[in-house]
Amino acid sequence: EALLNFNRIKALGVTKTSQLLEAVQCSGMLDLVEEGTKVRRDFQKHPLGTYDPVSRTLYVEGLPLTLGIDDLKKFFSDYGQVKLVEVPQHRETREPRGFAFVEFGDAQEADAALRGCNGLW
């Protein structure tokens, strides 16, 4: 239940432990251990060093404040699999700050998006 207090978990709208358990069970990277009370990474499926989001993540700035995560995901999905879109918000107002991070499935997709979108914003 301590995980339910994390800001990232709250931001995702997760309010029940059962939602967390279901997400972990669907994950290809995580396993439940000790009768479902602890979470650990499955190093056989995802060894250390295989997850490098930096090479496949784009920083996008100058975004209209009305553009949401779903809009960005839809737009960038033309260039490849969008794994994550993060739109930072102002701490006090919770309004978007006008930039985002878009993570793709691999570095080639990120490069394609960079070439395809260069100069659009």
Side-chain angles (χ1 to χ4, degrees):
E1 294 215 7
L3 290 175
L4 293 175
N5 294 321
F6 285 18
N7 288 335
R8 172 67 68 200
I9 300 295
K10 287 179 184 177
L12 292 171
V14 176
T15 57
K16 299 176 185 172
T17 306
S18 61
Q19 292 171 303
L20 287 174
L21 292 174
E22 183 180 343
V24 170
Q25 289 169 342
C26 292
S27 169
M29 184 183 287
L30 303 174
D31 281 333
L32 286 173
V33 294
E34 296 186 24
E35 299 169 5
T37 60
K38 293 187 179 185
V39 178
R40 70 176 170 95
R41 180 178 177 160
D42 186 335
F43 288 103
Q44 290 182 349
K45 293 180 186 172
H46 292 276
L48 285 176
T50 60
Y51 183 75
D52 178 22
V54 174
S55 65
R56 60 179 188 248
T57 301
L58 295 183
Y59 167 77
V60 185
E61 64 182 5
L63 299 174
L65 299 181
T66 57
L67 207 59
I69 290 174
D70 291 336
D71 300 320
L72 289 167
K73 188 170 186 172
K74 182 178 178 183
F75 177 82
F76 283 106
S77 66
D78 289 344
Y79 300 99
Q81 177 191 13
V82 177
K83 296 189 76 134
L84 175 71
V85 175
E86 209 171 324
V87 179
Q89 300 174 335
H90 287 285
R91 199 175 284 211
E92 287 136 19
T93 65
R94 309 300 294 164
E95 291 181 3
R97 294 175 63 189
F99 65 92
F101 298 96
V102 181
E103 181 184 338
F104 289 88
D106 59 43
Q108 291 78 20
E109 294 172 345
D111 287 340
L114 180 63
R115 285 190 307 276
C117 297
N118 196 12
L120 290 180
W121 269 280

PDB file of all heavy atoms in Angstrom, residues 2-36:
ATOM      1  N   ALA A   2       2.117   1.161   0.378  1.00  0.00           N
ATOM      2  CA  ALA A   2       2.990   2.329   0.371  1.00  0.00           C
ATOM      3  C   ALA A   2       3.160   2.890  -1.032  1.00  0.00           C
ATOM      4  O   ALA A   2       3.289   4.100  -1.213  1.00  0.00           O
ATOM      5  CB  ALA A   2       4.346   1.981   0.969  1.00  0.00           C
ATOM      6  N   LEU A   3       3.128   2.025  -2.046  1.00  0.00           N
ATOM      7  CA  LEU A   3       3.274   2.483  -3.424  1.00  0.00           C
ATOM      8  C   LEU A   3       2.141   3.414  -3.851  1.00  0.00           C
ATOM      9  O   LEU A   3       2.320   4.264  -4.709  1.00  0.00           O
ATOM     10  CB  LEU A   3       3.339   1.288  -4.383  1.00  0.00           C
ATOM     11  CG  LEU A   3       4.596   0.443  -4.329  1.00  0.00           C
ATOM     12  CD1 LEU A   3       4.454  -0.756  -5.253  1.00  0.00           C
ATOM     13  CD2 LEU A   3       5.810   1.250  -4.707  1.00  0.00           C
ATOM     14  N   LEU A   4       0.977   3.256  -3.268  1.00  0.00           N
ATOM     15  CA  LEU A   4      -0.160   4.106  -3.621  1.00  0.00           C
ATOM     16  C   LEU A   4       0.075   5.564  -3.241  1.00  0.00           C
ATOM     17  O   LEU A   4      -0.622   6.453  -3.735  1.00  0.00           O
ATOM     18  CB  LEU A   4      -1.441   3.596  -2.958  1.00  0.00           C
ATOM     19  CG  LEU A   4      -1.951   2.244  -3.455  1.00  0.00           C
ATOM     20  CD1 LEU A   4      -3.152   1.798  -2.637  1.00  0.00           C
ATOM     21  CD2 LEU A   4      -2.284   2.288  -4.929  1.00  0.00           C
ATOM     22  N   ASN A   5       1.066   5.831  -2.388  1.00  0.00           N
ATOM     23  CA  ASN A   5       1.369   7.196  -1.964  1.00  0.00           C
ATOM     24  C   ASN A   5       2.371   7.895  -2.873  1.00  0.00           C
ATOM     25  O   ASN A   5       2.611   9.081  -2.725  1.00  0.00           O
ATOM     26  CB  ASN A   5       1.891   7.195  -0.520  1.00  0.00           C
ATOM     27  CG  ASN A   5       0.817   6.755   0.451  1.00  0.00           C
ATOM     28  OD1 ASN A   5      -0.341   7.115   0.310  1.00  0.00           O
ATOM     29  ND2 ASN A   5       1.198   5.950   1.419  1.00  0.00           N
ATOM     30  N   PHE A   6       2.969   7.166  -3.823  1.00  0.00           N
ATOM     31  CA  PHE A   6       3.931   7.774  -4.732  1.00  0.00           C
ATOM     32  C   PHE A   6       3.195   8.717  -5.682  1.00  0.00           C
ATOM     33  O   PHE A   6       2.133   8.386  -6.213  1.00  0.00           O
ATOM     34  CB  PHE A   6       4.656   6.712  -5.541  1.00  0.00           C
ATOM     35  CG  PHE A   6       5.695   5.941  -4.772  1.00  0.00           C
ATOM     36  CD1 PHE A   6       5.719   5.908  -3.396  1.00  0.00           C
ATOM     37  CD2 PHE A   6       6.661   5.232  -5.447  1.00  0.00           C
ATOM     38  CE1 PHE A   6       6.664   5.184  -2.701  1.00  0.00           C
ATOM     39  CE2 PHE A   6       7.628   4.505  -4.779  1.00  0.00           C
ATOM     40  CZ  PHE A   6       7.629   4.489  -3.398  1.00  0.00           C
ATOM     41  N   ASN A   7       3.771   9.895  -5.924  1.00  0.00           N
ATOM     42  CA  ASN A   7       3.134  10.888  -6.785  1.00  0.00           C
ATOM     43  C   ASN A   7       2.884  10.353  -8.187  1.00  0.00           C
ATOM     44  O   ASN A   7       1.855  10.630  -8.797  1.00  0.00           O
ATOM     45  CB  ASN A   7       3.967  12.168  -6.848  1.00  0.00           C
ATOM     46  CG  ASN A   7       3.893  12.939  -5.557  1.00  0.00           C
ATOM     47  OD1 ASN A   7       2.936  12.818  -4.805  1.00  0.00           O
ATOM     48  ND2 ASN A   7       4.910  13.737  -5.286  1.00  0.00           N
ATOM     49  N   ARG A   8       3.837   9.596  -8.740  1.00  0.00           N
ATOM     50  CA  ARG A   8       3.677   9.064 -10.093  1.00  0.00           C
ATOM     51  C   ARG A   8       2.487   8.101 -10.146  1.00  0.00           C
ATOM     52  O   ARG A   8       1.707   8.116 -11.091  1.00  0.00           O
ATOM     53  CB  ARG A   8       4.961   8.357 -10.531  1.00  0.00           C
ATOM     54  CG  ARG A   8       4.861   7.603 -11.825  1.00  0.00           C
ATOM     55  CD  ARG A   8       4.654   8.476 -13.032  1.00  0.00           C
ATOM     56  NE  ARG A   8       5.833   9.254 -13.272  1.00  0.00           N
ATOM     57  CZ  ARG A   8       5.857  10.359 -13.997  1.00  0.00           C
ATOM     58  NH1 ARG A   8       4.772  10.793 -14.553  1.00  0.00           N
ATOM     59  NH2 ARG A   8       6.959  11.018 -14.170  1.00  0.00           N
ATOM     60  N   ILE A   9       2.329   7.281  -9.122  1.00  0.00           N
ATOM     61  CA  ILE A   9       1.214   6.335  -9.068  1.00  0.00           C
ATOM     62  C   ILE A   9      -0.103   7.103  -8.950  1.00  0.00           C
ATOM     63  O   ILE A   9      -1.078   6.795  -9.634  1.00  0.00           O
ATOM     64  CB  ILE A   9       1.377   5.340  -7.897  1.00  0.00           C
ATOM     65  CG1 ILE A   9       2.672   4.537  -8.046  1.00  0.00           C
ATOM     66  CG2 ILE A   9       0.178   4.439  -7.762  1.00  0.00           C
ATOM     67  CD1 ILE A   9       2.732   3.634  -9.245  1.00  0.00           C
ATOM     68  N   LYS A  10      -0.120   8.120  -8.103  1.00  0.00           N
ATOM     69  CA  LYS A  10      -1.323   8.948  -7.954  1.00  0.00           C
ATOM     70  C   LYS A  10      -1.687   9.625  -9.272  1.00  0.00           C
ATOM     71  O   LYS A  10      -2.854   9.693  -9.650  1.00  0.00           O
ATOM     72  CB  LYS A  10      -1.107  10.012  -6.887  1.00  0.00           C
ATOM     73  CG  LYS A  10      -1.098   9.493  -5.474  1.00  0.00           C
ATOM     74  CD  LYS A  10      -0.859  10.643  -4.513  1.00  0.00           C
ATOM     75  CE  LYS A  10      -0.735  10.188  -3.086  1.00  0.00           C
ATOM     76  NZ  LYS A  10      -0.441  11.313  -2.179  1.00  0.00           N
ATOM     77  N   ALA A  11      -0.668  10.129  -9.988  1.00  0.00           N
ATOM     78  CA  ALA A  11      -0.908  10.825 -11.252  1.00  0.00           C
ATOM     79  C   ALA A  11      -1.515   9.895 -12.293  1.00  0.00           C
ATOM     80  O   ALA A  11      -2.254  10.339 -13.169  1.00  0.00           O
ATOM     81  CB  ALA A  11       0.393  11.423 -11.779  1.00  0.00           C
ATOM     82  N   LEU A  12      -1.217   8.608 -12.205  1.00  0.00           N
ATOM     83  CA  LEU A  12      -1.784   7.635 -13.136  1.00  0.00           C
ATOM     84  C   LEU A  12      -3.222   7.274 -12.789  1.00  0.00           C
ATOM     85  O   LEU A  12      -3.875   6.552 -13.527  1.00  0.00           O
ATOM     86  CB  LEU A  12      -0.923   6.369 -13.155  1.00  0.00           C
ATOM     87  CG  LEU A  12       0.464   6.531 -13.756  1.00  0.00           C
ATOM     88  CD1 LEU A  12       1.289   5.276 -13.521  1.00  0.00           C
ATOM     89  CD2 LEU A  12       0.369   6.848 -15.234  1.00  0.00           C
ATOM     90  N   GLY A  13      -3.697   7.747 -11.644  1.00  0.00           N
ATOM     91  CA  GLY A  13      -5.071   7.470 -11.243  1.00  0.00           C
ATOM     92  C   GLY A  13      -5.248   6.138 -10.546  1.00  0.00           C
ATOM     93  O   GLY A  13      -6.374   5.668 -10.400  1.00  0.00           O
ATOM     94  N   VAL A  14      -4.149   5.543 -10.095  1.00  0.00           N
ATOM     95  CA  VAL A  14      -4.225   4.257  -9.405  1.00  0.00           C
ATOM     96  C   VAL A  14      -4.629   4.509  -7.954  1.00  0.00           C
ATOM     97  O   VAL A  14      -3.985   5.270  -7.241  1.00  0.00           O
ATOM     98  CB  VAL A  14      -2.869   3.515  -9.461  1.00  0.00           C
ATOM     99  CG1 VAL A  14      -2.916   2.226  -8.673  1.00  0.00           C
ATOM    100  CG2 VAL A  14      -2.489   3.248 -10.902  1.00  0.00           C
ATOM    101  N   THR A  15      -5.715   3.860  -7.530  1.00  0.00           N
ATOM    102  CA  THR A  15      -6.214   4.068  -6.173  1.00  0.00           C
ATOM    103  C   THR A  15      -6.302   2.777  -5.367  1.00  0.00           C
ATOM    104  O   THR A  15      -6.536   2.823  -4.173  1.00  0.00           O
ATOM    105  CB  THR A  15      -7.614   4.721  -6.208  1.00  0.00           C
ATOM    106  OG1 THR A  15      -8.488   3.879  -6.970  1.00  0.00           O
ATOM    107  CG2 THR A  15      -7.548   6.109  -6.835  1.00  0.00           C
ATOM    108  N   LYS A  16      -6.135   1.640  -6.047  1.00  0.00           N
ATOM    109  CA  LYS A  16      -6.293   0.355  -5.364  1.00  0.00           C
ATOM    110  C   LYS A  16      -5.052  -0.513  -5.579  1.00  0.00           C
ATOM    111  O   LYS A  16      -4.463  -0.514  -6.662  1.00  0.00           O
ATOM    112  CB  LYS A  16      -7.508  -0.399  -5.897  1.00  0.00           C
ATOM    113  CG  LYS A  16      -8.814   0.330  -5.699  1.00  0.00           C
ATOM    114  CD  LYS A  16      -9.948  -0.433  -6.340  1.00  0.00           C
ATOM    115  CE  LYS A  16     -11.240   0.367  -6.241  1.00  0.00           C
ATOM    116  NZ  LYS A  16     -12.303  -0.250  -7.008  1.00  0.00           N
ATOM    117  N   THR A  17      -4.712  -1.277  -4.566  1.00  0.00           N
ATOM    118  CA  THR A  17      -3.591  -2.203  -4.663  1.00  0.00           C
ATOM    119  C   THR A  17      -3.824  -3.227  -5.768  1.00  0.00           C
ATOM    120  O   THR A  17      -2.885  -3.620  -6.468  1.00  0.00           O
ATOM    121  CB  THR A  17      -3.369  -2.915  -3.313  1.00  0.00           C
ATOM    122  OG1 THR A  17      -3.232  -1.919  -2.290  1.00  0.00           O
ATOM    123  CG2 THR A  17      -2.131  -3.770  -3.331  1.00  0.00           C
ATOM    124  N   SER A  18      -5.057  -3.607  -5.980  1.00  0.00           N
ATOM    125  CA  SER A  18      -5.365  -4.594  -7.021  1.00  0.00           C
ATOM    126  C   SER A  18      -4.982  -4.080  -8.412  1.00  0.00           C
ATOM    127  O   SER A  18      -4.574  -4.860  -9.272  1.00  0.00           O
ATOM    128  CB  SER A  18      -6.846  -4.969  -6.984  1.00  0.00           C
ATOM    129  OG  SER A  18      -7.647  -3.838  -7.224  1.00  0.00           O
ATOM    130  N   GLN A  19      -5.081  -2.764  -8.635  1.00  0.00           N
ATOM    131  CA  GLN A  19      -4.671  -2.184  -9.911  1.00  0.00           C
ATOM    132  C   GLN A  19      -3.165  -2.321 -10.104  1.00  0.00           C
ATOM    133  O   GLN A  19      -2.700  -2.628 -11.203  1.00  0.00           O
ATOM    134  CB  GLN A  19      -5.072  -0.704  -9.982  1.00  0.00           C
ATOM    135  CG  GLN A  19      -6.571  -0.477 -10.045  1.00  0.00           C
ATOM    136  CD  GLN A  19      -6.922   0.986  -9.902  1.00  0.00           C
ATOM    137  OE1 GLN A  19      -6.560   1.617  -8.911  1.00  0.00           O
ATOM    138  NE2 GLN A  19      -7.630   1.516 -10.878  1.00  0.00           N
ATOM    139  N   LEU A  20      -2.412  -2.091  -9.034  1.00  0.00           N
ATOM    140  CA  LEU A  20      -0.961  -2.253  -9.104  1.00  0.00           C
ATOM    141  C   LEU A  20      -0.580  -3.696  -9.377  1.00  0.00           C
ATOM    142  O   LEU A  20       0.292  -3.981 -10.205  1.00  0.00           O
ATOM    143  CB  LEU A  20      -0.303  -1.793  -7.796  1.00  0.00           C
ATOM    144  CG  LEU A  20      -0.254  -0.300  -7.538  1.00  0.00           C
ATOM    145  CD1 LEU A  20       0.297  -0.023  -6.152  1.00  0.00           C
ATOM    146  CD2 LEU A  20       0.583   0.385  -8.584  1.00  0.00           C
ATOM    147  N   LEU A  21      -1.226  -4.626  -8.691  1.00  0.00           N
ATOM    148  CA  LEU A  21      -0.932  -6.044  -8.880  1.00  0.00           C
ATOM    149  C   LEU A  21      -1.212  -6.469 -10.317  1.00  0.00           C
ATOM    150  O   LEU A  21      -0.432  -7.207 -10.928  1.00  0.00           O
ATOM    151  CB  LEU A  21      -1.733  -6.895  -7.901  1.00  0.00           C
ATOM    152  CG  LEU A  21      -1.353  -6.768  -6.424  1.00  0.00           C
ATOM    153  CD1 LEU A  21      -2.325  -7.560  -5.554  1.00  0.00           C
ATOM    154  CD2 LEU A  21       0.064  -7.219  -6.197  1.00  0.00           C
ATOM    155  N   GLU A  22      -2.312  -5.997 -10.870  1.00  0.00           N
ATOM    156  CA  GLU A  22      -2.663  -6.347 -12.249  1.00  0.00           C
ATOM    157  C   GLU A  22      -1.620  -5.808 -13.225  1.00  0.00           C
ATOM    158  O   GLU A  22      -1.215  -6.492 -14.168  1.00  0.00           O
ATOM    159  CB  GLU A  22      -4.046  -5.798 -12.592  1.00  0.00           C
ATOM    160  CG  GLU A  22      -4.510  -6.167 -13.978  1.00  0.00           C
ATOM    161  CD  GLU A  22      -5.894  -5.613 -14.297  1.00  0.00           C
ATOM    162  OE1 GLU A  22      -6.625  -5.225 -13.372  1.00  0.00           O
ATOM    163  OE2 GLU A  22      -6.217  -5.559 -15.496  1.00  0.00           O
ATOM    164  N   ALA A  23      -1.154  -4.575 -12.995  1.00  0.00           N
ATOM    165  CA  ALA A  23      -0.148  -3.973 -13.874  1.00  0.00           C
ATOM    166  C   ALA A  23       1.169  -4.745 -13.812  1.00  0.00           C
ATOM    167  O   ALA A  23       1.801  -4.990 -14.846  1.00  0.00           O
ATOM    168  CB  ALA A  23       0.079  -2.518 -13.493  1.00  0.00           C
ATOM    169  N   VAL A  24       1.567  -5.154 -12.627  1.00  0.00           N
ATOM    170  CA  VAL A  24       2.812  -5.916 -12.481  1.00  0.00           C
ATOM    171  C   VAL A  24       2.679  -7.271 -13.159  1.00  0.00           C
ATOM    172  O   VAL A  24       3.601  -7.737 -13.832  1.00  0.00           O
ATOM    173  CB  VAL A  24       3.190  -6.070 -10.988  1.00  0.00           C
ATOM    174  CG1 VAL A  24       4.334  -7.057 -10.813  1.00  0.00           C
ATOM    175  CG2 VAL A  24       3.571  -4.721 -10.398  1.00  0.00           C
ATOM    176  N   GLN A  25       1.538  -7.903 -13.027  1.00  0.00           N
ATOM    177  CA  GLN A  25       1.324  -9.208 -13.658  1.00  0.00           C
ATOM    178  C   GLN A  25       1.357  -9.104 -15.182  1.00  0.00           C
ATOM    179  O   GLN A  25       1.785 -10.035 -15.863  1.00  0.00           O
ATOM    180  CB  GLN A  25       0.002  -9.812 -13.189  1.00  0.00           C
ATOM    181  CG  GLN A  25       0.053 -10.268 -11.743  1.00  0.00           C
ATOM    182  CD  GLN A  25      -1.321 -10.617 -11.181  1.00  0.00           C
ATOM    183  OE1 GLN A  25      -2.337 -10.233 -11.727  1.00  0.00           O
ATOM    184  NE2 GLN A  25      -1.324 -11.335 -10.064  1.00  0.00           N
ATOM    185  N   CYS A  26       0.944  -7.976 -15.732  1.00  0.00           N
ATOM    186  CA  CYS A  26       0.960  -7.775 -17.181  1.00  0.00           C
ATOM    187  C   CYS A  26       2.332  -7.344 -17.694  1.00  0.00           C
ATOM    188  O   CYS A  26       2.588  -7.383 -18.891  1.00  0.00           O
ATOM    189  CB  CYS A  26      -0.067  -6.715 -17.581  1.00  0.00           C
ATOM    190  SG  CYS A  26      -1.767  -7.242 -17.324  1.00  0.00           S
ATOM    191  N   SER A  27       3.200  -6.943 -16.787  1.00  0.00           N
ATOM    192  CA  SER A  27       4.520  -6.461 -17.168  1.00  0.00           C
ATOM    193  C   SER A  27       5.428  -7.608 -17.598  1.00  0.00           C
ATOM    194  O   SER A  27       5.436  -8.671 -17.006  1.00  0.00           O
ATOM    195  CB  SER A  27       5.156  -5.729 -15.984  1.00  0.00           C
ATOM    196  OG  SER A  27       6.519  -5.482 -16.235  1.00  0.00           O
ATOM    197  N   GLY A  28       6.201  -7.362 -18.634  1.00  0.00           N
ATOM    198  CA  GLY A  28       7.197  -8.346 -19.043  1.00  0.00           C
ATOM    199  C   GLY A  28       8.510  -8.169 -18.318  1.00  0.00           C
ATOM    200  O   GLY A  28       9.417  -8.970 -18.453  1.00  0.00           O
ATOM    201  N   MET A  29       8.621  -7.106 -17.533  1.00  0.00           N
ATOM    202  CA  MET A  29       9.872  -6.797 -16.863  1.00  0.00           C
ATOM    203  C   MET A  29       9.847  -7.135 -15.374  1.00  0.00           C
ATOM    204  O   MET A  29      10.879  -7.385 -14.776  1.00  0.00           O
ATOM    205  CB  MET A  29      10.189  -5.309 -17.030  1.00  0.00           C
ATOM    206  CG  MET A  29      11.512  -4.889 -16.445  1.00  0.00           C
ATOM    207  SD  MET A  29      11.831  -3.120 -16.577  1.00  0.00           S
ATOM    208  CE  MET A  29      12.185  -2.971 -18.307  1.00  0.00           C
ATOM    209  N   LEU A  30       8.664  -7.157 -14.770  1.00  0.00           N
ATOM    210  CA  LEU A  30       8.551  -7.329 -13.323  1.00  0.00           C
ATOM    211  C   LEU A  30       7.897  -8.651 -12.960  1.00  0.00           C
ATOM    212  O   LEU A  30       7.113  -9.196 -13.720  1.00  0.00           O
ATOM    213  CB  LEU A  30       7.735  -6.180 -12.721  1.00  0.00           C
ATOM    214  CG  LEU A  30       8.246  -4.770 -12.993  1.00  0.00           C
ATOM    215  CD1 LEU A  30       7.270  -3.748 -12.467  1.00  0.00           C
ATOM    216  CD2 LEU A  30       9.626  -4.565 -12.392  1.00  0.00           C
ATOM    217  N   ASP A  31       8.215  -9.133 -11.763  1.00  0.00           N
ATOM    218  CA  ASP A  31       7.606 -10.335 -11.202  1.00  0.00           C
ATOM    219  C   ASP A  31       7.134 -10.047  -9.789  1.00  0.00           C
ATOM    220  O   ASP A  31       7.742  -9.244  -9.068  1.00  0.00           O
ATOM    221  CB  ASP A  31       8.624 -11.488 -11.116  1.00  0.00           C
ATOM    222  CG  ASP A  31       8.846 -12.167 -12.438  1.00  0.00           C
ATOM    223  OD1 ASP A  31       7.934 -12.153 -13.275  1.00  0.00           O
ATOM    224  OD2 ASP A  31       9.938 -12.728 -12.627  1.00  0.00           O
ATOM    225  N   LEU A  32       6.061 -10.715  -9.391  1.00  0.00           N
ATOM    226  CA  LEU A  32       5.612 -10.676  -8.001  1.00  0.00           C
ATOM    227  C   LEU A  32       6.277 -11.830  -7.270  1.00  0.00           C
ATOM    228  O   LEU A  32       6.318 -12.953  -7.765  1.00  0.00           O
ATOM    229  CB  LEU A  32       4.092 -10.824  -7.916  1.00  0.00           C
ATOM    230  CG  LEU A  32       3.277  -9.615  -8.322  1.00  0.00           C
ATOM    231  CD1 LEU A  32       1.801  -9.970  -8.355  1.00  0.00           C
ATOM    232  CD2 LEU A  32       3.508  -8.471  -7.373  1.00  0.00           C
ATOM    233  N   VAL A  33       6.799 -11.562  -6.083  1.00  0.00           N
ATOM    234  CA  VAL A  33       7.435 -12.603  -5.281  1.00  0.00           C
ATOM    235  C   VAL A  33       6.876 -12.562  -3.867  1.00  0.00           C
ATOM    236  O   VAL A  33       6.180 -11.628  -3.485  1.00  0.00           O
ATOM    237  CB  VAL A  33       8.976 -12.442  -5.258  1.00  0.00           C
ATOM    238  CG1 VAL A  33       9.551 -12.678  -6.639  1.00  0.00           C
ATOM    239  CG2 VAL A  33       9.393 -11.082  -4.758  1.00  0.00           C
ATOM    240  N   GLU A  34       7.204 -13.581  -3.107  1.00  0.00           N
ATOM    241  CA  GLU A  34       6.768 -13.696  -1.711  1.00  0.00           C
ATOM    242  C   GLU A  34       5.260 -13.513  -1.587  1.00  0.00           C
ATOM    243  O   GLU A  34       4.774 -12.596  -0.935  1.00  0.00           O
ATOM    244  CB  GLU A  34       7.529 -12.721  -0.811  1.00  0.00           C
ATOM    245  CG  GLU A  34       9.009 -13.032  -0.745  1.00  0.00           C
ATOM    246  CD  GLU A  34       9.745 -12.171   0.262  1.00  0.00           C
ATOM    247  OE1 GLU A  34       9.119 -11.670   1.211  1.00  0.00           O
ATOM    248  OE2 GLU A  34      10.960 -12.016   0.087  1.00  0.00           O
ATOM    249  N   GLU A  35       4.543 -14.396  -2.273  1.00  0.00           N
ATOM    250  CA  GLU A  35       3.082 -14.434  -2.211  1.00  0.00           C
ATOM    251  C   GLU A  35       2.432 -13.121  -2.629  1.00  0.00           C
ATOM    252  O   GLU A  35       1.429 -12.689  -2.066  1.00  0.00           O
ATOM    253  CB  GLU A  35       2.633 -14.847  -0.803  1.00  0.00           C
ATOM    254  CG  GLU A  35       3.127 -16.228  -0.409  1.00  0.00           C
ATOM    255  CD  GLU A  35       2.914 -16.529   1.064  1.00  0.00           C
ATOM    256  OE1 GLU A  35       2.305 -15.717   1.767  1.00  0.00           O
ATOM    257  OE2 GLU A  35       3.373 -17.594   1.479  1.00  0.00           O
ATOM    258  N   GLY A  36       3.021 -12.473  -3.606  1.00  0.00           N
ATOM    259  CA  GLY A  36       2.427 -11.255  -4.150  1.00  0.00           C
ATOM    260  C   GLY A  36       2.619 -10.016  -3.313  1.00  0.00           C
ATOM    261  O   GLY A  36       1.941  -9.019  -3.526  1.00  0.00           O
TER     262      GLY A  36
END
